[in-house]
Structure formats: C-alpha cells, structure tokens
Amino acid sequence: MPQSVKIFLTALISALSFTFSSASAQLVYSTKYASDAKVKVYVTKYKSDADLVVYKCKYKSDAGDNNGVWFFTDYSSDAKKKIYFTDYRSDADITIYFTEYKSDAGWQNNSKKHVMY
C-alpha cells in the first residue's frame, strides 16, 4: 500500500474517532424558560444531596459522556441537552452539585442517569 494511502487512512480514522466520541458528549445549554428545556435542574449546596456531581469544563472536546463533565454551549442548537435551572428542588428532574475538580464528577444516584441520555 502506498505511503500516501496509509497517511490518508490514518487521518480518516482519527477524524471519525473524534467525531463519534464528541457526538455523545454532555454538551448542555441553559435555557431562560422551563418550557424550552428537556431537563429541569436544581443546584444543591451539598455534594451529598446531589444526584449528579458536575464539573464545568472549558473546552467542548473535554466534555464527558453522561459522566458529569459538562460543557455549556452558547447556542441551543449546539447542545445535546437543554436544561433549566429551577429555584425549587421539588420542580427538578435531577439535583446537581458543581465541583471544582474533574475527578469528583459523576453520578451518585444511578437511578436518575437516564434523564441526561
């Protein structure tokens, strides 16, 4: 096989891998109105009260696959999930806690995991 074909195939495989890995990323958009969101979220003060511990990453490529590593998009069309932050826990589908450490991110209540798929 010629060297140019090997280089092309390597580049193609790399591009496809990146595309498919980002397709399932937790890209979220925070809506202004509850009616525009798929998921209503309440932010708790204590990690122990949360269904999900969330780490906000700075780059889209760092977003996780339903593991609590979120990237907030500027446009709703770029998001995989549209969320609304509610003031009342009773109105929420899930409760989250924001952490400063990526290693802390993850589900604490696996029964709610389906909400973010």
Side-chain angles (χ1 to χ4, degrees), residues 81-96:
K81 281 291 179 188
K82 295 174 190 159
I83 64 171
Y84 175 77
F85 289 103
T86 181
D87 293 330
Y88 303 102
R89 185 183 193 122
S90 58
D91 292 338
D93 299 313
I94 61 170
T95 58
I96 67 168

Side-chain angles (χ1 to χ4, degrees), residues 47 50-55 67-68 97-99 104-108:
K47 183 178 174 182
D51 297 317
L52 175 63
V53 177
V54 174
Y55 173 78
N67 64 354
Y97 173 82
F98 284 111
T99 182
D104 287 345
W107 287 95
Q108 298 194 133

